[in-house]
Amino acid sequence: MFKSQISRDEVRSAIEDKLCAHFGVTSRDASDAQVFQASAIVIREIMSRLMAFGETKKSDREVHYLSMEFLMGRSLMKNAFNLGISEALTGALADLGRNAADIFEAENDAGLGNGGLGRLAACYMDSMASLGIPATGYSICYELGIFRQKIVDGKQTEVADDWRTAAESWLVARNDEAVEVRFGGHIVPHWDSFGHYYAEHVGYSTVTAVPRDMLIAGYKGDEINTLRLWDARSTTALDMYLFSEGEYVKSLEQRTMSEVITKVLYPADDHIQGKQLRLKQQYFFVSATAQSIIKKHLERYGDIRSFALHHVIQINDTHPTLVIPELMRIMMDEHGLGWDEAWSIVTKAVAYTNHTVMSEALEKWPQELIQTLLPRVWEILCEINRRWCEYLISQFGKSEKVGRCLIIQDDGVHMANLCLAACFKVNGVSALHGEILQKDLFADVCTLRPERFTYVTNGIDHRRWLAQINPRLSELVCETLGSEAYLTQPSELQKFAQFADDGTVRDRVNEIKLLNKADFAKFIYKNDGFVLNTEAILDVQVKRLHEYKRQLLCAMLISRLQNMLHDNPNMPFTPRSFVFAAKAAAGYRTAKRIIELLCSLANDVNNDPVCKGKLQVCFMENYRVSAAEALMPASQVSEQISTAGKEASGTGNMKLMLNGAVTIGTLDGANVEMFGQLGEKNMFLFGLHADEVTALRSSGYDPRKYVECDAELKAVLDRFSRGFADGKSYSDLVSGLLYNGDAYMLIADFRDYVNTHDRLYGVISDKNELARLSIVNTAKAGVFAADRAVAEYAEDIWKIKL
């Protein structure tokens, strides 16, 4: 039973009222954007009332989920679905003479994230609300998000991504809960007669953090949680003296410097100004959050000493790690606790989720930057490091292990090591990832504190990523299982496997996939002007662009297929369409070159007469949640081909599996657990294992020897070096593989990859077998639901009873 019972007529009347009250227009004259905003305000007010008057639990223990990213996507359809009023909303829009799809399309994706990290956080917010866990998410209210990707002359160009229309519809400013965040200045030390130290912070500049809250409805509306986004505002709107003197630009300088903090997600940091802005963002975010949590705690409980009993702070990757010294600062400087007492509280309240196994990706801040921007935090970090160093020496002696684990070393502050020193739990995000953390990346500390290490395999919002975006398949699942139970019990999906050999169900699955491909063909034509061959197998690699994810390896496969067709145009060949989608970080030059190569390759293949009707390639511009929602239901082959031992987990692999795509991949990240569910008959594995990658590298890996023995591989690399029809050469990328060590083992895995690909297509050329594989993949995906993952966090880490 849904909490919100509201009829189609009531929704229509409410939308009409909002159009008049907020925009001064009737439904007849309103634009689609205005109708979207009015609809969003109606939904937001329903959630507000449920929060105010509903049976929201007053739990004695709350979760605070800190993440620099929350990749929410569009919210109108999702919130209506969770509140149980999707049909009422769709019907009301029809009564107003509007197509619901057009209104949903009028909403911009919320620009609060980049990739899997942010999408995971969004899925967990949904599951925490759906499972009835009182929780608040915290992040930054980025004005322009990551960026909107434009492909210009075959190259990625970053354009500001303005999502403010959607933001104004969902976010509510809580000006009465604004806090101040301090930067710069210096510390004046004071000692009292008892030898106690007091730090006086002087000469600082101040930025006001204003919370803007987005409500998150759980499925069936049983719990309404909050995502709190911090907006940066200057304490001085305008320097009137400078303005009066005609210095108009200079009069706004302080305001501009304050508000730039929340302009964009992940500003380029390949220069000192970018590093400084990123550090400001992170401290602004955690300081405001810590102040807010402590203030509310004191309002409810009155005693700062009980903080850890009532709160657990989960930091999603290392970006929010400065919350540790910030909590210490507030407890000592503002509430008078001694060091030992404050440390005891903080270390019982903060847990850390790691998201990378690559040591070079672990955050490290220049010491001088923290000293200058955050002088009091620097003092606290020095004391944490001193005590941590003493502890390490007591355990390891004067070993090199001590140096590896220090928080402050080599003129840098290592965020992951701070987490190891302070957090009561450190978790990986897949079984393999957890093992690598314990046996390799954090092995030294794990030997001292093994009970603090665990893993929770990532999960996805199965209601969004199946029921909402793929209603045809969801209806078939419910029809065959006889109920909608899987929506709240994702393990029920397992029963769908019973129909894998049912000819009627197989036919329905193939029919649904074809209809979904037709829908996606419309989307990609509108998005990219690309005419998709809906009769071909849709083979996709969609994820953040990084060298270890090996989009370049898939490009090598495609070039080999093109060469094969030229050598033998009449060969038996299952038609296939490859779709890539990825954003590269603005300062990541190699990743941007790989995008350029993919665009050159697509242009070459798509204009090659030999490939017509057989082979297509498209690089889909501006990958985002709404694009993924269009693509996932149509996809048939999922490329999960990262170098073994490099991917922490992945969630795109789970979404594609849930929608029935067949995976070709390495034993990396959550692929390991997917293989455990599917077995070798239903998943196509290739490549070196993580330990084999390490062993090969140690033995003196020479990629040129592989090329000498493989004519097809040599032909592919020669083609990349010569260039494509557009005249662009990619000899720099080839040199990186051949002469710079091939860091991610593309050359070593190439032959096994292409052979496995051939085997995969040999199997799925049979439509009945393709349907069987699709059914089994959907059925086995229930274990990867976010509901399961969040329940594990609640039981094993947060100690919250469901």
Side-chain angles (χ1 to χ4, degrees):
M1 189 71 177
F2 285 88
K3 287 281 184 180
S4 55
Q5 297 296 322
I6 183 168
S7 71
R8 171 175 178 162
D9 289 342
E10 288 172 319
V11 175
R12 186 198 70 246
S13 178
I15 292 172
E16 289 178 321
D17 176 68
K18 301 307 173 193
L19 286 170
C20 292
H22 289 263
F23 305 104
V25 296
T26 65
S27 58
R28 179 181 301 175
D29 301 323
S31 65
D32 282 353
Q34 289 171 328
V35 174
F36 153 69
Q37 288 180 275
S39 302
I41 293 168
V42 169
I43 299 292
R44 188 187 75 202
E45 290 184 355
I46 291 172
M47 292 190 291
S48 294
R49 290 187 175 90
L50 287 171
M51 174 177 272
F53 300 110
E55 300 172 2
T56 302
K57 300 173 185 176
K58 284 289 184 181
S59 173
D60 279 339
R61 191 160 170 82
E62 300 174 49
V63 175
H64 305 277
Y65 197 88
L66 278 61
S67 179
M68 283 294 284
E69 298 183 39
F70 280 90
L71 195 53
M72 304 302 291
R74 294 170 174 166
S75 295
L76 182 59
M77 187 190 304
K78 175 60 179 174
N79 284 328
F81 178 85
N82 274 5
L83 293 170
I85 59 172
S86 293
E87 291 184 7
L89 175 61
T90 301
L93 292 171
D95 293 343
L96 294 173
R98 306 295 174 133
N99 184 315
D102 293 337
I103 302 305
F104 295 146
E105 190 68 24
E107 179 178 9
N108 291 331
D109 285 48
L112 300 169
N114 177 34
L117 183 77
R119 190 53 235 164
L120 180 77
C123 287
Y124 283 1
M125 286 302 296
D126 178 273
S127 284
M128 283 188 277
S130 297
L131 294 176
I133 298 173
T136 304
Y138 299 87
S139 192
I140 290 176
C141 189
Y142 303 104
E143 182 182 333
L144 300 173
I146 180 71
F147 57 80
R148 183 162 55 90
Q149 181 191 56
K150 295 288 290 182
I151 302 299
V152 179
D153 296 329
K155 299 178 181 180
Q156 172 181 294
T157 303
E158 300 85 32
V159 180
D161 183 19
D162 189 347
W163 73 291
R164 283 174 293 185
T165 300
E168 294 306 318
S169 305
W170 296 115
L171 302 182
V172 177
R174 307 290 189 186
N175 293 302
D176 58 317
E177 296 185 36
V179 298
E180 289 191 349
V181 179
R182 298 174 177 179
F183 295 101
H186 64 278
I187 302 300
V188 178
H190 296 282
W191 299 87
D192 66 15
S193 58
F194 298 100
H196 296 148
Y197 173 74
Y198 296 94
E200 182 186 4
H201 193 179
V202 300
Y204 55 81
S205 61
T206 301
V207 177
T208 301
V210 179
R212 304 191 71 189
D213 289 353
M214 176 185 286
L215 299 182
I216 308 293
Y219 182 60
K220 295 193 175 181
D222 286 336
E223 183 86 23
I224 306 294
N225 284 335
T226 301
L227 173 59
R228 171 155 287 192
L229 305 172
W230 293 103
D231 201 5
R233 289 287 176 262
S234 174
T235 54
T236 304
L238 184 72
D239 187 319
M240 285 301 299
Y241 174 77
L242 290 173
F243 190 86
S244 299
E245 293 294 310
E247 298 279 356
Y248 304 127
V249 174
K250 198 169 183 179
S251 71
L252 290 168
E253 188 175 271
Q254 184 177 340
R255 178 177 176 178
T256 301
M257 292 307 295
S258 295
E259 296 180 2
V260 75
I261 291 172
T262 54
K263 280 292 180 185
V264 298
L265 169 66
Y266 298 148
D269 63 350
D270 51 352
H271 46 74
I272 190 61
Q273 293 87 352
K275 285 183 172 64
Q276 185 179 66
L277 179 54
R278 281 208 187 192
L279 180 60
K280 274 190 170 184
Q281 283 186 328
Q282 292 187 10
Y283 182 69
F284 169 82
F285 158 41
V286 301
S287 178
T289 297
Q291 291 181 63
S292 175
I293 296 170
I294 288 177
K295 180 182 178 183
K296 290 189 175 184
H297 169 81
L298 292 172
E299 288 172 355
R300 183 174 177 188
Y301 298 104
D303 180 16
I304 192 69
R305 290 171 174 83
S306 65
F307 184 85
L309 295 175
H310 302 294
H311 305 276
V312 58
I313 296 172
Q314 189 73 44
I315 57 177
N316 194 31
D317 217 350
T318 53
H319 309 117
T321 302
L322 287 174
V323 76
I324 295 165
E326 179 63 7
L327 286 168
M328 292 290 291
R329 184 195 68 79
I330 295 170
M331 290 184 183
M332 292 190 299
D333 295 358
E334 297 181 17
H335 297 282
L337 297 188
W339 180 278
D340 291 339
E341 195 172 17
W343 184 251
S344 176
I345 294 169
V346 172
T347 55
K348 291 174 183 172
V350 183
Y352 162 53
T353 299
N354 173 275
H355 284 276
T356 181
V357 298
M358 295 190 293
S359 56
E360 66 270 21
L362 297 174
E363 281 193 306
K364 181 179 76 172
W365 290 108
Q367 174 180 321
E368 185 179 0
L369 202 56
I370 293 183
Q371 286 176 297
T372 303
L373 275 180
L374 312 172
R376 179 56 177 146
V377 166
W378 170 250
E379 284 190 342
I380 294 168
L381 286 171
C382 287
E383 182 62 14
I384 295 173
N385 186 67
R386 183 187 69 78
R387 294 175 180 234
W388 179 237
C389 182
E390 288 181 354
Y391 170 73
L392 293 172
I393 290 173
S394 73
Q395 300 298 311
F396 295 132
K398 294 186 177 181
S399 163
E400 63 181 14
K401 293 180 181 179
V402 175
R404 287 199 297 259
C405 297
L406 289 178
I407 298 161
I408 302 172
Q409 54 175 294
D410 301 325
D411 297 322
V413 181
H414 296 250
M415 295 292 104
N417 287 349
L418 176 56
C419 290
L420 297 181
C423 294
F424 71 88
K425 280 289 182 183
V426 175
N427 74 277
V429 290
S430 70
L432 177 62
H433 179 220
E435 182 180 340
I436 292 172
L437 294 187
Q438 295 178 52
K439 294 183 178 180
D440 183 10
L441 194 63
F442 301 145
D444 296 336
V445 176
C446 186
T447 61
L448 304 178
R449 300 170 164 182
E451 74 285 352
R452 297 195 182 195
F453 288 82
T454 186
Y455 76 90
V456 178
T457 298
N458 282 347
I460 58 173
D461 175 3
H462 70 289
R463 288 173 288 271
R464 182 173 199 141
W465 293 103
L466 180 55
Q468 186 181 326
I469 72 165
N470 197 346
R472 297 183 183 106
L473 182 56
S474 180
E475 287 168 12
L476 177 61
V477 169
C478 294
E479 179 186 323
T480 54
L481 301 187
S483 76
E484 296 181 344
Y486 92 89
L487 292 173
T488 54
Q489 302 170 53
S491 59
E492 287 289 301
L493 277 173
Q494 177 73 31
K495 297 176 181 177
F496 191 46
Q498 300 169 10
F499 300 91
D501 295 320
D502 185 312
T504 301
V505 176
R506 285 185 180 184
D507 289 344
R508 290 276 300 279
V509 165
N510 282 333
E511 177 187 350
I512 288 168
K513 190 63 75 172
L514 190 60
L515 290 169
N516 290 343
K517 283 201 287 186
D519 290 343
F520 177 63
K522 295 174 185 175
F523 176 89
I524 200 169
Y525 182 76
K526 181 178 180 181
N527 193 76
D528 300 275
F530 180 74
V531 180
L532 181 74
N533 178 5
T534 56
E535 296 297 324
I537 296 292
L538 182 56
D539 192 319
V540 305
Q541 189 177 15
V542 289
K543 53 185 75 241
R544 184 168 52 89
L545 203 303
H546 195 291
E547 289 167 272
Y548 82 82
K549 294 178 185 288
R550 302 202 295 190
Q551 285 92 344
L552 186 57
L553 179 60
C554 192
M556 292 162 65
L557 164 81
I558 295 168
S559 184
R560 174 214 180 223
L561 293 174
Q562 185 183 17
N563 290 340
M564 289 169 60
L565 287 172
H566 274 267
D567 292 341
N568 186 3
N570 298 317
M571 66 180 289
F573 192 87
T574 302
R576 59 204 75 176
S577 299
F578 287 88
V579 172
F580 295 91
K583 289 181 179 178
Y588 192 173
R589 292 181 175 83
T590 301
K592 294 175 85 168
R593 278 290 282 166
I594 292 171
I595 288 178
E596 191 175 356
L597 180 145
L598 293 172
C599 292
S600 290
L601 176 63
N603 177 67
D604 195 278
V605 168
N606 297 337
N607 289 289
D608 186 343
V610 174
C611 296
K612 188 173 183 179
K614 298 178 181 179
L615 183 62
Q616 283 185 308
V617 184
C618 178
F619 186 89
M620 187 166 67
E621 185 179 86
N622 196 37
Y623 192 50
R624 56 204 183 277
V625 175
S626 55
E629 290 172 340
L631 177 139
M632 298 283 181
S635 301
Q636 292 170 287
V637 173
S638 168
E639 302 275 350
Q640 306 299 330
I641 60 175
S642 55
T643 311
K646 296 299 183 184
E647 186 73 81
S649 172
T651 52
N653 49 359
M654 301 169 185
K655 293 164 194 165
L656 287 160
M657 177 186 179
L658 182 64
N659 281 276
V662 183
T663 299
I664 178 170
T666 53
L667 269 178
D668 193 29
N671 285 0
V672 176
E673 285 142 287
M674 287 169 57
F675 184 69
Q677 292 291 316
L678 292 165
E680 61 183 13
K681 186 179 179 182
N682 302 304
M683 184 173 171
F684 293 78
L685 287 181
F686 75 92
L688 298 168
H689 297 184
D691 57 342
E692 293 171 334
V693 169
T694 303
L696 180 58
R697 181 70 66 193
S698 299
S699 67
Y701 170 55
D702 184 356
R704 289 169 293 184
K705 291 182 179 179
Y706 288 77
V707 178
E708 291 169 3
C709 303
D710 193 327
E712 287 188 327
L713 174 56
K714 185 177 187 304
V716 166
L717 297 179
D718 286 347
R719 181 72 194 281
F720 285 6
S721 294
R722 289 198 311 273
F724 298 97
D726 58 9
K728 294 179 181 178
S729 166
Y730 295 94
S731 58
D732 55 325
L733 294 178
V734 173
S735 294
L737 297 177
L738 295 181
Y739 306 112
N740 290 330
D742 182 21
Y744 299 107
M745 300 286 184
L746 283 74
I747 301 296
D749 276 346
F750 174 80
R751 177 47 51 192
D752 197 11
Y753 175 47
V754 299
N755 288 346
T756 304
H757 228 280
D758 291 345
R759 179 167 62 88
L760 164 63
Y761 272 82
V763 171
I764 64 175
S765 61
D766 179 346
K767 290 186 177 181
N768 281 322
E769 180 60 13
L770 178 57
R772 187 197 68 78
L773 286 166
S774 184
I775 292 167
V776 171
N777 270 269
T778 297
K780 298 291 186 178
V783 71
F784 299 111
D787 286 3
R788 183 270 315 152
V790 166
E792 290 181 12
Y793 274 100
E795 180 179 355
D796 299 335
I797 298 176
W798 303 334
K799 304 304 179 185
I800 291 177
K801 292 182 179 180
L802 298 180

